[in-house]
Amino acid sequence: MAIEADRRRPVTTPEAARGAAPRAPRFGRRPGSPRTGATKGLLFSVPYIVGFLAVYVIPVGYTIVRGLYRQQRSGLGFGPARSVFVGLGNFVKIFHDGLFWTGLLRVALFGAVEIPIMLGLALLLALLLDGITARAVRLFRVGYLIPYVVPSVVAALIWLYLYSPEVSPINSTARHVGVTIDFFGPVTTYLTLGNVLVWEQIGFNMILIYSALQAIPRELYEAARIDGASERRIAWSIKIPNLRPVLVFTGMFSVINALQLLTEPFVLRLVGWKSISKDFTPMQMIYNAASAEGNYEYAAAMSTVLAVVTGILAFVFYRLTNRKVTA
């Protein structure tokens, strides 16, 4: 009985006996305090913050600042070059540069045709891939993804061989029926270049769309089949409406990639495709200004303007397409 009474007796501390508040832990804070959780969250975020500053904020800031200067030589242009602050002088020059805005408009119109075709084919392939067996899915998925893995330079050289008038298997086959195809003409240039870009991008976008298809509940398909809906009706009324968010996502990034077009036209022009001018895209102009002319300040200003225009167009595209999604 004495032992049971000792167990029931409340445990007291010297602070409780004196009526004082209990002492706080000597080291650190309570594990569940909000400030401790915020500190841990900040520590876990430090690597991301450092990387974000190193690869994004600092380079962008340096580019903007570099665009505010201009190289000036003393002694009638024969002296040493020095950077001179010109404020918005380079940006004013860009707004009066007709070649830059012509190239930007050319790329925008080119993307307005190429992007819907590429996404439409990627959607069609994803829908076809969703209807075959799992073993065949792996085979076709890898096959369609290979063009995306191939570097852009290699892809341009592959299609240059296929378009070449002398060794092209397409032209050699067409000559047997008395037809000669000029892939390097002023009009066919856009078609052939668009074919290269569609071949490179279709596999990656198809994988994204196919992954979104797998997230749609299969019960919706079963209910539709019970109601007598055909596979075509299920695809049109169930699958495609549920794919609109991923189509908006892929479309927005395709717009960004189109405005940054550089490798394919640069390589094709480098090997003799003269129907593509050196000012075909804004990225080619930036490259020429920095490498050929050594005008890094003007190239930095063009990069800043192109980034702003790209952000505006991507935002407008997102708002317009997202409105359809939420409707």
Side-chain angles (χ1 to χ4, degrees):
M1 296 297 294
I3 297 175
E4 186 68 23
D6 290 340
R7 288 180 178 177
R8 294 179 180 179
R9 186 179 302 168
V11 178
T12 60
T13 60
E15 291 82 3
R18 295 194 304 267
R23 290 182 298 179
R26 182 172 299 179
F27 300 103
R29 296 182 178 273
R30 289 179 297 147
S33 64
R35 188 171 298 181
T36 302
T39 303
K40 291 181 179 179
L42 181 60
L43 291 177
F44 276 109
S45 302
V46 166
Y48 169 77
I49 295 173
V50 172
F52 181 74
L53 292 174
V55 304
Y56 185 78
V57 175
I58 295 177
V60 170
Y62 176 77
T63 302
I64 295 174
V65 173
R66 190 70 182 268
L68 301 176
Y69 288 83
R70 178 170 57 88
Q71 290 291 324
Q72 182 175 341
R73 295 182 179 274
S74 58
L76 299 178
F78 297 100
R82 59 189 182 91
S83 295
V84 179
F85 181 78
V86 293
L88 300 177
N90 288 325
F91 296 95
V92 173
K93 182 180 177 181
I94 291 173
F95 282 102
H96 292 87
D97 190 348
L99 290 176
F100 178 81
W101 296 105
T102 301
L104 187 61
L105 180 62
R106 183 187 298 115
V107 171
L109 295 177
F110 179 77
V113 177
E114 182 263 336
I115 292 174
I117 294 175
M118 182 269 298
L119 289 181
L121 292 175
L123 174 61
L124 178 61
L125 291 175
L127 291 174
L128 294 175
L129 204 62
D130 190 51
I132 62 178
T133 60
R135 182 176 298 179
V137 165
R138 300 191 193 99
L139 176 63
F140 285 102
R141 186 168 53 190
V142 172
Y144 285 122
L145 192 62
I146 287 177
Y148 178 77
V149 180
V150 174
S152 301
V153 176
V154 178
L157 294 176
I158 290 173
W159 283 98
L160 179 68
Y161 166 77
L162 295 176
Y163 292 148
S164 174
E166 294 81 12
V167 297
S168 170
I170 301 175
N171 263 328
S172 62
T173 304
R175 275 194 290 267
H176 288 293
V177 295
V179 177
T180 302
I181 305 174
D182 182 14
F183 292 107
F184 301 94
V187 177
T188 54
T189 292
Y190 294 92
L191 300 177
T192 51
L193 181 59
N195 179 63
V196 175
L197 296 176
V198 169
W199 182 78
E200 290 178 349
Q201 301 171 7
I202 190 174
F204 177 72
N205 289 282
M206 182 207 66
I207 295 299
L208 293 179
I209 297 172
Y210 176 75
S211 300
L213 275 173
Q214 303 309 301
I216 300 176
R218 298 292 165 174
E219 292 80 4
L220 297 177
Y221 305 157
E222 297 174 2
R225 293 189 183 100
I226 292 174
D227 291 338
S230 62
E231 294 300 323
R232 183 181 302 176
R233 184 65 178 177
I234 292 174
W236 182 258
S237 300
I238 298 178
K239 293 183 179 181
I240 295 179
N242 284 278
L243 291 175
R244 285 179 178 175
V246 71
L247 291 176
V248 171
F249 173 79
T250 54
M252 183 175 65
F253 277 89
S254 298
V255 170
I256 297 173
N257 290 331
L259 294 173
Q260 296 177 350
L261 182 61
L262 172 63
T263 305
E264 292 81 4
F266 179 80
V267 172
L268 294 175
R269 173 178 169 78
L270 191 65
V271 296
W273 199 341
K274 299 303 181 183
S275 55
I276 296 180
S277 64
K278 64 178 182 179
D279 302 323
F280 190 79
T281 68
M283 288 297 296
Q284 285 181 270
M285 301 179 198
I286 295 172
Y287 175 83
N288 292 330
S291 62
E293 304 171 9
N295 193 351
Y296 296 100
E297 289 75 14
Y298 191 62
M302 283 195 293
S303 300
T304 304
V305 173
L306 180 61
V308 172
V309 173
T310 302
I312 292 174
L313 291 179
F315 177 76
V316 170
F317 175 86
Y318 174 79
R319 294 291 295 180
L320 292 177
T321 53
N322 192 52
R323 185 179 303 174
K324 295 180 181 179
V325 173
T326 56

